[in-house]
Amino acid sequence: MDKETEDKNMALEQTDGGPISVETGEAEKEKTDWIGEIKSISLLLLAVLAFHSLVAKPFYIPSVSMMPGLLVGDRLIVSKYAYGWSWVSPTFHILPRLQGRLFGSLPERGDVVILTPKDQSSDYIKRVIGLPGDTIELRGGQVFLNNVAVEQEVQPDLAIPVDANSPCGDNEFPGMRTTDAKGTMVCNVPILRETLPNGVSYDVIDMGQRYDVDEIEPVVVPEGHVYLMGDNRDQSADSRVSSALGGLGGPIPWENVGGRAEFITFSLDGSTGWNPLSWIGSFRSGRAGTSLRPARNELKPVSAAKPSPATAN
């Protein structure tokens, strides 16, 4: 048998009986490190939760209580560090309800904030009206702060386009659904511009006398508390409304405030479906990027009562 035939037979034997050489010519496939993958995903989730809890988080508007500034379907960003941190800061409210804040500061009158009520776990969004030491009273729907009427100026009616998220139903806005000059269905709501003593101005909706929310006896805001109201004054479960009726039941503790609303990221009209092609058409134009920090005018005279200081425990 010649050398060439012997080499061929040896190659066939190696093929039939399996490789006998340590070197196969191909790198072995590396096995997936599942433990390492799980650790990486867990760290990523922890980083996202930490960012949401300590820096900023998205928030969705589910009700009409903050109209006209905020509509159902608005998505916005809330800064979690604006007033320091407390038990309510984590995305999931898993901490015990402790008093005080870490690196805390009081909100300013007029700030729009998210909060967790004293006896609930869901988040609300309202506007800060009263600070510690203030006396809050409502007479005929007008706010009196330390026995001084908060300035209200009548504005032209606001025409809000009607859509699935803003249907302008008779239960909420009776008789206000109409069409504009272009034939577009709109909701004409009465607007008042309210200006607080620190010069902060914002628009509110007030559709008329509602004794249960328009006539409020004087309330002194305790130390370490804030008094909150919705901009839609006739349809907001805020500090004027008892806890039994879904409201805040008076001033709420400072540490229950979770952050400050900063700006709208985008807004949906409620027409979004499973078809991705419907998503683009469901965006409301002109709302993305809208700041939620109230306008500040020339300062008004300082009220007689000064807010008492609140310190973190």
Side-chain angles (χ1 to χ4, degrees), residues 38-186:
I38 292 173
K39 286 182 178 179
S40 298
I41 294 173
S42 298
L43 289 174
L44 177 61
L45 291 176
L46 286 175
V48 171
L49 286 174
F51 186 86
H52 280 193
S53 299
L54 303 176
V55 182
K57 67 172 287 187
F59 193 84
Y60 166 72
I61 300 299
S63 76
V64 301
S65 68
M66 285 298 291
M67 288 178 67
L70 288 170
L71 305 178
V72 175
D74 283 350
R75 270 70 171 179
L76 51 99
I77 291 296
V78 172
S79 60
K80 303 300 288 290
Y81 56 85
Y83 313 120
W85 298 275
S86 70
W87 70 268
V88 80
S89 297
T91 298
F92 303 105
H93 303 322
I94 57 177
L95 298 179
R97 300 194 173 210
L98 303 174
Q99 293 185 348
R101 304 186 74 95
L102 181 64
F103 304 117
S105 61
L106 278 170
E108 294 186 26
R109 292 191 187 96
D111 283 357
V112 177
V113 302
I114 62 167
L115 64 129
T116 301
K118 291 176 283 190
D119 55 354
Q120 300 183 41
S121 58
S122 57
D123 291 331
Y124 284 33
I125 183 165
K126 304 295 176 189
R127 189 180 297 277
V128 176
I129 301 297
L131 298 177
D134 285 340
T135 299
I136 306 293
E137 182 182 3
L138 269 83
R139 308 174 195 167
Q142 185 167 25
V143 178
F144 282 75
L145 186 60
N146 300 317
N147 207 35
V148 177
V150 170
E151 180 183 331
Q152 288 183 336
E153 182 182 357
V154 177
Q155 301 293 305
D157 288 355
L158 179 64
I160 300 174
V162 170
D163 55 38
N165 274 339
S166 296
C168 196
D170 285 339
N171 290 334
E172 297 170 338
F173 303 103
M176 297 183 182
R177 184 167 176 161
T178 183
T179 54
D180 61 13
K182 297 180 180 179
T184 303
M185 191 71 68
V186 295

Side-chain angles (χ1 to χ4, degrees), residues 32 34 38 91 97 106 115 117 124 160 178 186 188 203 207 211 217-218 223 228 238 244 248 250-251:
T32 301
W34 290 109
I38 292 173
T91 298
R97 300 194 173 210
L106 278 170
L115 64 129
Y124 284 33
I160 300 174
T178 183
V186 295
N188 277 329
D203 290 342
M207 297 183 296
Y211 183 80
E217 294 293 322
E223 181 177 350
L228 302 156
D238 49 37
L248 302 180

Side-chain angles (χ1 to χ4, degrees), residues 248-283:
L248 302 180
I252 70 152
W254 175 43
E255 55 268 8
N256 288 40
V257 175
R260 182 178 63 204
E262 300 292 350
F263 60 91
I264 296 172
T265 53
F266 63 95
S267 184
L268 299 176
D269 63 13
S271 64
T272 306
W274 290 105
N275 184 354
L277 296 178
S278 70
W279 298 352
I280 296 178
S282 68
F283 283 89

Side-chain angles (χ1 to χ4, degrees), residues 12-24:
L12 289 173
E13 288 175 1
Q14 291 177 349
T15 302
D16 294 340
I20 61 175
S21 175
V22 175
E23 296 181 1
T24 63

